[in-house]
Amino acid sequence: MNREQLAAAYAAPGRHYHNLAHIEDCLAALARVEGLSVAERETLSEAIWWHDVVYDPTRSDNEERSAELAEQHVRAELRQEVGRLIRLTKTHEIAAGDRLGAILISIDLSILGTDAARYDAYAAAIRREFIHVGEDDYRIGRARVLRHFAAREVIFPDPDFAARFDRQARVNLARELKAWAEVP
């Protein structure tokens, strides 16, 4: 599977947020990260490209399936680490001292700390991806996810991302939670 085929996977119908624009945003965020070796940058780039290649909002194993696909296609010396990093995107939890994991998770979550208009567009796109879920169930599930992130002591495990995005992310999460609470 080459980059053209990967791009095509991200252009599949029903991908309103987990699409090529998300990958491009993540790659742009990676480009701004300083102090990475060539090997670290390549590993993170591959993890970004592959982390949502399999995306079916009706399934709970997308990250595992994406990791397995990546492990079949990336260079042999990167396979284990790329697969490991992709699997972290299921829970967005990392072990202390996992620098590459902290960077990848922070990149993946950086949308949470964007300006209100961009965040609202993201939230609307996620809702469109979960159009198969009824309004009440979606509200309950989405609020659970938002509360999970809002309750974290650290949303962005990489300190540079935390300094840049944490405050706005908390504002955005609180605003969306308030909006869901007001829905009858």
Side-chain angles (χ1 to χ4, degrees):
M1 192 173 231
N2 60 32
R3 288 286 191 253
E4 189 174 291
Q5 292 166 315
L6 275 171
Y10 284 104
R15 285 182 177 248
H16 302 281
Y17 173 72
H18 293 92
N19 55 27
L20 194 54
H22 171 56
I23 299 307
E24 291 168 348
D25 288 345
C26 288
L27 291 170
L30 175 60
R32 292 187 294 272
V33 175
E34 297 178 359
L36 292 171
S37 70
V38 171
E40 289 170 329
R41 195 168 294 283
E42 181 184 8
T43 298
L44 285 165
S45 178
E46 290 291 352
I48 288 168
W49 267 106
W50 290 93
H51 83 283
D52 284 326
V53 69
V54 175
Y55 186 74
D56 177 349
T58 67
R59 296 184 62 133
S60 63
D61 62 349
N62 292 311
E63 296 83 2
E64 182 61 34
R65 293 170 64 213
S66 293
E68 290 171 358
L69 201 54
E71 290 166 341
Q72 296 169 18
H73 291 89
V74 301
R75 290 189 307 118
E77 56 272 20
L78 302 179
R79 287 181 184 154
Q80 184 176 358
E81 182 67 354
V82 168
R84 182 188 76 80
L85 289 169
I86 292 168
R87 287 178 179 94
L88 293 175
T89 66
K90 181 167 182 76
T91 63
H92 294 95
E93 301 287 340
I94 62 150
D98 183 358
R99 181 170 179 250
L100 293 187
I103 292 169
L104 179 66
I105 295 309
S106 295
I107 286 171
D108 195 33
L109 295 177
S110 63
I111 189 68
L112 300 179
T114 57
D115 65 79
R118 187 152 180 228
Y119 179 89
D120 291 348
Y122 143 78
I126 293 294
R127 178 63 181 117
R128 286 193 304 276
E129 287 183 346
F130 283 86
I131 197 67
H132 62 281
V133 177
E135 194 68 21
D136 287 343
D137 289 339
Y138 184 80
R139 179 174 44 83
I140 292 165
R142 180 70 178 167
R144 185 181 319 117
V145 169
L146 298 174
R147 280 193 302 273
H148 168 76
F149 282 116
R152 290 171 86 168
E153 186 176 326
V154 176
I155 295 173
F156 305 96
D158 179 81
D160 293 335
F161 280 84
R164 181 173 177 195
F165 292 113
D166 189 78
R167 189 178 145 282
Q168 185 61 44
R170 293 186 187 283
V171 168
N172 288 334
L173 293 170
R175 189 169 46 81
E176 187 180 356
L177 274 165
K178 183 176 185 244
W180 282 117
E182 293 171 356
V183 172

